[in-house]
Amino acid sequence: MIYASLRVVLSPENREESLRFVRSLLGPTSAVPGCIHCGFYTDAQNESLLFYVEEWQTEEDLRRHIRSDDYRKFLALIDLSSEPPDLKFHRVSETLGMEYVSHVRSLA
């Protein structure tokens, strides 16, 4: 599983327009084969911060998406950042759930 995360800082004067633009990316990206989830979030204490995340089944699914014409729209999101953006790709080799919390708490 691959996670792509992007952190951008939106300027107050184009924040609403930027949020509309990000919303327009969600449907098409969600429909791409291999996309498990995509979404965006704003920081509760700093509404200028925007976090955009994608979850992909395989690295090849993500690579195919990055090579697509639709990815150019995503790259435009990076251009909206008023500070250097923070784009990261995370390779997940294991996913744990509540059983991990139970396990750790049982060790105490």
Side-chain angles (χ1 to χ4, degrees):
M1 188 177 320
I2 306 290
Y3 284 94
S5 64
L6 173 65
R7 178 188 173 274
V8 295
V9 178
L10 304 175
S11 63
E13 51 277 350
N14 71 0
R15 182 178 181 277
E16 289 306 315
E17 179 183 344
S18 298
L19 292 177
R20 279 192 298 279
F21 176 74
V22 173
R23 283 184 193 98
S24 75
L25 298 175
L26 299 179
T29 302
S30 294
V32 173
C35 180
I36 298 169
H37 169 77
C38 68
F40 76 95
Y41 312 91
T42 56
D43 188 293
Q45 295 180 347
N46 181 354
E47 61 183 30
S48 294
L49 288 179
L50 175 99
F51 300 93
Y52 179 87
V53 295
E54 297 175 346
E55 182 180 353
W56 295 89
Q57 290 178 353
T58 68
E59 190 164 345
E60 185 52 38
D61 291 328
L62 174 61
R63 286 179 182 179
R64 191 172 30 258
H65 177 57
I66 289 172
R67 290 188 299 260
S68 74
D69 288 337
D70 284 341
Y71 199 74
R72 286 188 194 148
K73 294 175 188 171
F74 171 79
L75 293 175
L77 175 58
I78 291 173
D79 292 337
L80 295 175
S81 188
S82 61
E83 295 180 11
D86 184 18
L87 177 61
K88 294 181 180 171
F89 299 92
H90 312 271
R91 292 185 178 109
V92 179
S93 60
E94 183 178 24
T95 301
L96 304 171
M98 281 302 296
E99 71 278 0
Y100 181 73
V101 174
S102 297
H103 171 74
V104 170
R105 291 187 57 84
S106 73
L107 299 175

